[in-house]
């Protein structure tokens, strides 16, 4: 039994497919099948069974994979601890961020990393949570700051901060940050709705719970377009508070937190379980948390909560 076989088992379990696992590990499928058979022969029991859903863990397989996941996580940490003695990071790393966070953090992050690790090449990718999660699971991104995500055993995640979600309109509409608005009241207004999947799912789930439907008049995947439509009087919108705070302070728009139910967005930091460079990712996580803490804390006055202790 070796590390390559253990990573193989974990990849098959998480993708549910020999083909997808082979693509994730950058090996040919026959080699993956041989590794699986060798391990099953050594353990004396099948770890997977095939059905219409793909490769499904047997009961012994589930127990074994749980232990493999713990062992690999410990090994990655041990490698990171040993690598921490190195004075420099080299190679390349891909960091994903939500667009609003990238606008504030990408420049300081790259500047800091270039100063400390001149041999490290940094790529910044921006997008909504579904795009970022796909990038982590496909191995295209090494670490991400993203919103409410679909639970995945392929990712290591921890919460960083939580922010209220506001209904937003023109200055004369009567909304106020000191007077929360119920979701049922929001549903009566013409809405310009974001297409970002994680945010939209949270809104739709809340509407389903209380039995209302939003009055949709327009949609966009661009926050800038959404806010432009609000300023043109097309309708109201629903957005997390941090990206809109500068416009609120400038009195270009007004907004109120949404309650009954409370709508909030939690931003998490995530990286793949199967990680090609845990030392670099650990260093990046420290950099991101260090930059985020003072940035986020300036929004405490609008209800943003810091979670990464």
């Amino acid at each position: 039994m070796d590390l390559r076989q253990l990573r193989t088992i974990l990849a098959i379990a998480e993708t549910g497919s020999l083909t997808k696992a082979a693509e994730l590990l950058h090996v040919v499928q026959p080699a993956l099948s041989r590794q699986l058979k060798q391990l099953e022969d050594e353990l004396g029991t099948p770890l997977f069974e095939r059905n219409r859903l793909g490769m499904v863990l047997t009961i012994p397989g589930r127990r074994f994979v749980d232990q493999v996941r713990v062992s690999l996580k410990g090994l990655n940490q041990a490698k990171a601890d040993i690598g921490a003695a190195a004075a420099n990071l080299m190679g390349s790393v891909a960091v994903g961020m939500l667009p609003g966070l990238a606008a504030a953090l990408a420049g300081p992050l790259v500047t800091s990393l270039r100063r400390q690790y001149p041999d490290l090449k940094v790529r910044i990718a921006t997008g909504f949570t579904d795009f970022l999660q796909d990038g982590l699971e496909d191995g295209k991104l090494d670490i991400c700051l993203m919103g409410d995500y679909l639970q995945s055993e392929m990712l290591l995640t921890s919460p960083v901060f939580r922010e209220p979600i506001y209904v937003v309109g023109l200055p004369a509409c009567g909304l106020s940050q000191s007077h929360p608005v119920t979701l049922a009241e929001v549903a009566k207004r013409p809405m310009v709705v974001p297409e970002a999947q994680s945010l939209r799912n949270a809104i739709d789930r809340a509407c389903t719970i209380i039995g209302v439907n939003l009055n949709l008049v327009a949609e966009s995947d661009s926050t800038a377009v959404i806010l432009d439509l609000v300023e043109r009087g097309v309708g109201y919108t629903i957005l997390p508070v941090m990206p809109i705070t500068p416009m609120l302070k400038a009195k270009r728009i007004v907004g109120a937190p949404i309650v009954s139910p409370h709508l909030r967005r939690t931003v998490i930091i995530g990286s793949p379980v199967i990680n090609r460079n845990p030392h670099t990712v650990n260093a990046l996580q420290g950099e991101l948390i260090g930059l985020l803490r003072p940035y986020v804390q300036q929004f405490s006055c609008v209800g943003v909560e810091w979670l990464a202790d």
Side-chain angles (χ1 to χ4, degrees), residues 64-289:
F64 184 69
V65 165
D66 286 343
Q67 292 300 317
V68 168
R69 187 173 290 109
V70 172
S71 299
L72 287 179
K73 184 178 179 181
L75 179 62
N76 283 342
Q77 184 60 53
K79 288 171 64 180
D81 291 343
I82 293 171
N88 197 16
L89 299 181
M90 304 178 67
S92 62
V93 67
V95 183
M97 298 185 194
L98 295 165
L101 291 178
L105 298 176
L109 176 67
V110 173
T111 301
S112 177
L113 291 174
R114 288 291 298 161
R115 183 174 61 252
Q116 297 179 73
Y117 313 111
D119 296 322
L120 182 67
K121 180 181 177 182
V122 184
R123 181 172 73 87
I124 303 293
T126 64
F128 294 117
T129 294
D130 49 340
F131 166 79
L132 298 175
Q133 181 168 351
D134 287 345
L136 287 176
E137 294 179 348
D138 292 343
K140 296 174 183 176
L141 298 174
D142 296 296
I143 190 168
C144 285
L145 288 169
M146 57 190 189
D148 299 311
Y149 65 105
L150 296 176
Q151 293 293 325
S152 170
E153 293 185 347
M154 299 178 70
L155 303 181
L156 300 172
T157 62
S158 58
V160 181
F161 65 88
R162 181 167 51 232
E163 61 181 319
I165 294 175
Y166 273 37
V167 57
V168 177
L170 289 172
C173 71
L175 293 173
S176 168
Q177 290 176 255
S178 60
H179 293 87
V181 177
T182 68
L183 185 57
E185 293 175 58
V186 172
K188 299 174 184 177
R189 305 172 186 239
M191 301 301 302
V192 180
V193 181
E195 289 182 334
Q197 186 174 345
S198 62
L199 179 57
R200 186 64 174 272
N201 286 345
I203 296 169
D204 290 344
R205 283 196 303 269
C207 287
T208 300
I209 289 170
I210 66 170
V212 299
N213 293 311
L214 294 182
N215 176 19
L216 303 182
V217 296
E219 299 175 88
S220 176
D221 61 359
S222 167
T223 301
V225 169
I226 289 170
L227 290 170
D228 178 65
L229 292 174
V230 171
E231 288 196 286
R232 292 174 182 273
V234 173
Y236 298 76
T237 192
I238 300 176
L239 289 171
V241 70
M242 283 174 57
I244 62 172
T245 296
M247 293 181 68
L248 291 172
K249 288 183 176 179
K251 302 187 186 304
R252 291 173 55 186
I253 55 174
V254 293
I258 299 174
V259 296
S260 298
H262 285 277
L263 287 187
R264 299 183 179 93
R265 176 175 76 169
T266 300
V267 171
I268 63 103
I269 193 163
S271 59
V273 170
I274 302 175
N275 200 316
R276 58 184 177 179
N277 196 336
H279 174 39
T280 300
V281 169
N282 279 3
L284 276 171
Q285 181 156 334
E287 286 288 326
L288 285 168
I289 294 297

Side-chain angles (χ1 to χ4, degrees), residues 46-67:
L47 298 176
F48 295 90
E49 57 185 24
R50 293 178 182 269
N51 63 25
R52 60 186 180 81
L53 299 176
M55 300 288 286
V56 178
L57 286 165
T58 61
I59 292 176
R62 284 200 298 272
R63 294 173 180 165
F64 184 69
V65 165
D66 286 343
Q67 292 300 317

